[in-house]
Amino acid sequence: MIFVIALKELRSMFASPLAWVVLAFVQGFLANVFLKQVDTFMIIQAQLARTPNAPGLTELAVVPMFGAAQMVLLMSIPLLTMRLISEEKRNQTMALLVSAPISMTQIIVGKFTAMVAFLCLILALIAAMSFSLLAGGAIDLGLIAANLLGLLLLGMAFSSIGIFISCLTMHPVVAAVMTLAVFMGFWVIGLAASDPGSWLNWVSISKRFEGFLDGYVSLPDVTFFLVVITLFIFLSIRKLDSERLSA
Amino acid sequence: MVDTDNSLTLSASGLTRKYGNNVAVSDVSLALKKGEIIGLLGPNGAGKSTTMKMITGNLAPTEGSIKVCGIDLIDDPIIAKTKIGYLPEIPPVYKELRVNEYLKLVAKLHKVSSKRVSSAVDNAKERTGLTEMSERLIGSLSKGFQQRVGIAQAIIHEPEVVILDEPTVGLDPNQIIEIRSLIKELGEHHSVILSTHILPEVEAICDSVQILHKGKVVFDDEIGGLRKFRSGKSIQASFRTPPTQEILEKKLTNVKVSQVREGVYRISGLELEDDPTDVLVQLSVHEQWGLFELVGAQASVEEVFVELTTQDETAI
């Protein structure tokens, strides 16, 4: 049942130009960053060869792309999650899902699954760019795997927050703006958290993501993301349930 | 008061819904047998939609219980919902999908087994006259066809109870006739609840009727009861050489006479057993009043509402 909803959601996404525009924007932007980095690497390659323990191709070309991908997700995920629930409310199609013999949990998890599938598509494109380097040299596959995992968790956390905010309003645009504002808030927390001992560091999504950028997959970081994802999915379900009770 | 009768497909008792201090629906009870069509009639804001939302699990009742084929909707929503098909006021269609895609999706959501999905889709399309629209985008269909898609959506899983919220609103007269005959047909295999504010519609298709006013049931009877209630209340007579109002009142006993306009009188306060029509015609011939038109005026929706609601208040 979850997959029925997820498939429907993906079909609706790709029926509108939005999904295609987002994919094109993500790909165009990241390809640009990636090419610039590869160019830089070619120029300084000779110097690097003489330096002991120098960063390799993966660190110089691939990792910055993942760093940029964080910002790209921050901007594009609100556009993708904004309509997931709010549009169903606005068009009164929520009644169809609620009257069907499925639970609120299945509805929300189905929609979240659609977002994860979309994220996987973005990740596949990013991975394809990274692996294209194999044609000309060796790359650190472990580091890339850690980066992909980090980006997936980050995208999932952003998506669950976006879905929750989409539950709060009937207007997709309001949901998008609110979601973007919240993500900006997280980003600012990341900037403010310069002192490693500060509690800001502990709650900052971007600081958590930086670990993955360095190829460092730590249990606390993974757990942090999983907790955020679960929390906001749970809140979304509660919100929909409460509407049935009190709206 | 819980009804455990197995022949009932839907029984709701004591449904109450409050929004804060505002009571939208108060103590509404419904019992529906297989093959029965019930009409919920009421002016706007009477609580028809709220009642339907509660029966379909879209809104939790503040008080009361709902059983669908003996299954409690509040305790066991998932199983109970498989037995309900619901068309809300605004058809819940995804405009970016094609009719076929949409109906397939709905069939899957309602847990129609994957082998039977395509036959269920074809069947629903055939019954609602959508077969030729299969590949059209729902957003490009006219309001009437979108409404049909909404009805197809409600019957695709062959539910025991079909609930239609104002199914003929916004349709042209031809479409209304088609949809009404479709609903009558549905009533043969399913139990149907429909809401409307059009009285003749209820008379045309329903077996029994409940009239809601300000969230309360003010009338609950078989359709014959409503007809009786409405008809025989008054007649309107037009004369070429009219008698005066006093003469009419004197000659016809036990009636009230009022002048509508020059030469046209409305005779009201009639009882079915004591119909003065014959007397009136005889008198007209005898006295040469020149009666040329005699219309049995049925009470309009407004009059029925006024009468029921004022009755209700005097009863209190």
Side-chain angles (χ1 to χ4, degrees):
Chain A
M1 203 46 61
I2 288 170
F3 288 103
V4 174
I5 295 173
L7 274 177
K8 176 243 137 191
E9 219 44 71
L10 283 171
R11 188 177 293 159
S12 294
M13 272 184 197
F14 284 103
S16 80
L18 186 67
W20 299 103
V21 171
V22 166
L23 276 179
F25 162 72
V26 170
Q27 189 64 5
F29 184 80
L30 292 181
N32 199 7
V33 172
F34 180 62
L35 277 180
K36 281 233 172 75
Q37 292 300 320
V38 173
D39 261 354
T40 316
F41 178 79
M42 301 300 268
I43 294 165
I44 60 171
Q45 198 178 14
Q47 286 172 309
L48 288 174
R50 274 179 273 127
T51 328
N53 259 340
L57 180 58
T58 320
E59 281 93 336
L60 281 175
V62 179
V63 171
M65 176 174 70
F66 277 93
Q70 180 193 358
M71 284 310 287
V72 171
L73 287 189
L74 188 148
M75 284 183 285
S76 52
I77 283 181
L79 297 176
L80 295 168
T81 56
M82 64 177 183
R83 42 165 293 281
L84 284 179
I85 305 292
S86 59
E87 204 172 68
E88 301 261 12
K89 286 193 200 168
R90 199 178 160 86
N91 295 342
Q92 317 261 345
T93 45
M94 204 65 206
L96 175 73
L97 299 177
V98 176
S99 311
I102 47 180
S103 63
M104 293 291 183
T105 312
Q106 285 171 318
I107 296 174
I108 295 289
V109 175
K111 294 194 175 251
F112 180 70
T113 310
M115 275 307 296
V116 174
F118 193 89
L119 280 173
C120 287
L121 189 62
I122 295 181
L123 286 182
L125 290 171
I126 296 177
M129 273 198 286
S130 317
F131 290 139
S132 69
L133 289 178
L134 278 172
I139 54 174
D140 184 344
L141 291 177
L143 181 58
I144 291 180
N147 272 285
L148 283 173
L149 176 68
L151 201 58
L152 179 66
L153 286 171
L154 179 83
M156 284 163 76
F158 279 171
S159 300
S160 63
I161 296 170
I163 289 175
F164 172 66
I165 293 174
S166 186
C167 290
L168 301 179
T169 168
M170 277 174 72
H171 304 280
V173 175
V174 175
V177 173
M178 277 168 70
T179 312
L180 190 61
V182 169
F183 291 173
M184 288 297 190
F186 277 118
W187 186 57
V188 170
I189 289 177
L191 291 183
S194 46
D195 170 19
S198 152
W199 64 273
L200 285 177
N201 227 336
W202 198 83
V203 296
S204 158
I205 287 188
S206 54
K207 287 283 172 202
R208 298 276 175 184
F209 179 62
E210 273 169 22
F212 291 96
L213 282 182
D214 299 335
Y216 184 60
V217 180
S218 78
L219 193 59
D221 288 350
V222 174
T223 317
F224 172 81
F225 279 115
L226 292 180
V227 166
V228 169
I229 293 164
T230 323
L231 174 70
F232 281 97
I233 286 184
F234 176 75
L235 287 176
S236 306
I237 296 166
R238 290 303 306 231
K239 173 70 185 130
L240 284 191
D241 253 333
S242 76
E243 264 165 35
R244 201 173 54 84
L245 294 170
S246 67
Chain B
M1 207 187 78
V2 178
D3 212 327
T4 48
D5 192 345
N6 280 333
S7 69
L8 289 178
T9 47
L10 182 119
S11 72
S13 59
L15 287 182
T16 299
R17 173 74 208 193
K18 292 175 189 157
Y19 295 102
N21 286 328
N22 182 13
V23 181
V25 171
S26 149
D27 199 21
V28 171
S29 297
L30 280 168
L32 203 56
K33 291 189 201 73
K34 193 174 166 56
E36 192 181 20
I37 306 179
I38 284 192
L40 280 184
L41 191 65
N44 293 328
K48 293 172 301 201
S49 292
T50 308
T51 306
M52 295 191 141
K53 278 183 190 164
M54 287 194 281
I55 299 170
T56 54
N58 277 267
L59 204 59
T62 317
E63 277 164 44
S65 74
I66 304 155
K67 287 201 169 193
V68 188
C69 301
I71 298 155
D72 196 300
L73 180 72
I74 293 152
D75 294 341
D76 244 332
I78 305 280
I79 301 171
K81 280 175 185 174
T82 56
K83 303 186 183 299
I84 298 180
Y86 173 44
L87 169 70
E89 232 171 323
I90 296 163
V93 293
Y94 295 110
K95 296 197 161 67
E96 69 273 17
L97 297 185
R98 293 174 199 283
V99 174
N100 262 347
E101 291 173 333
Y102 173 73
L103 291 178
K104 220 184 264 177
L105 166 74
V106 176
K108 284 183 193 158
L109 285 177
H110 280 285
K111 300 193 171 152
V112 174
S113 68
S114 50
K115 269 181 287 176
R116 289 188 43 250
V117 165
S118 71
S119 69
V121 170
D122 289 342
N123 191 12
K125 276 189 303 192
E126 208 183 297
R127 288 171 83 179
T128 48
L130 282 167
T131 310
E132 266 131 63
M133 302 293 162
S134 302
E135 290 304 318
R136 292 272 297 272
L137 285 175
I138 295 175
S140 73
L141 295 176
S142 67
K143 174 83 179 73
F145 275 109
Q146 291 193 10
Q147 191 75 20
R148 289 184 200 211
V149 175
I151 296 178
Q153 163 273 126
I155 61 174
I156 196 162
H157 52 295
E158 298 283 332
E160 266 84 354
V161 184
V162 180
I163 296 169
L164 307 169
D165 198 348
E166 310 214 336
T168 55
V169 161
L171 303 185
D172 68 38
N174 278 332
Q175 292 170 327
I176 290 180
I177 292 168
E178 283 177 48
I179 296 281
R180 282 186 190 167
S181 66
L182 173 67
I183 295 171
K184 276 206 125 164
E185 201 190 300
L186 284 176
E188 288 163 19
H189 307 285
H190 315 259
S191 306
V192 180
I193 303 181
L194 87 154
S195 77
T196 177
H197 55 258
I198 307 162
L199 218 159
E201 188 161 285
V202 170
E203 288 201 330
I205 43 186
C206 297
D207 300 316
S208 57
V209 61
Q210 291 205 356
I211 299 181
L212 292 178
H213 181 78
K214 293 186 180 164
K216 290 197 180 100
V217 178
V218 291
F219 184 90
D220 181 5
D221 202 349
E222 307 267 296
I223 200 70
L226 178 69
R227 281 215 189 90
K228 228 178 189 171
F229 187 80
R230 278 185 72 199
S231 63
K233 292 280 175 188
S234 64
I235 52 177
Q236 189 171 308
S238 314
F239 305 96
R240 280 201 191 84
T241 47
T244 60
Q245 197 169 327
E246 291 79 49
I247 294 175
L248 264 182
E249 267 179 349
K250 215 183 288 172
K251 299 261 179 188
L252 305 167
T253 42
N254 289 334
V255 296
K256 264 190 281 176
V257 178
S258 55
Q259 187 166 27
V260 180
R261 56 181 182 272
E262 184 66 37
V264 181
Y265 289 106
R266 189 180 180 90
I267 301 161
S268 53
L270 314 178
E271 294 300 327
L272 271 188
E273 303 78 41
D274 185 23
D275 194 335
T277 316
D278 286 346
V279 181
L280 183 68
V281 174
Q282 277 166 13
L283 272 172
S284 167
V285 173
H286 193 252
E287 311 268 338
Q288 297 195 326
W289 287 340
L291 175 72
F292 68 94
E293 194 180 50
L294 191 59
V295 187
Q298 284 193 320
S300 64
V301 194
E302 291 75 19
E303 286 168 321
V304 170
F305 283 145
V306 166
E307 187 153 341
L308 284 171
T309 48
T310 48
Q311 248 179 18
D312 192 46
E313 270 152 35
T314 49
I316 293 167

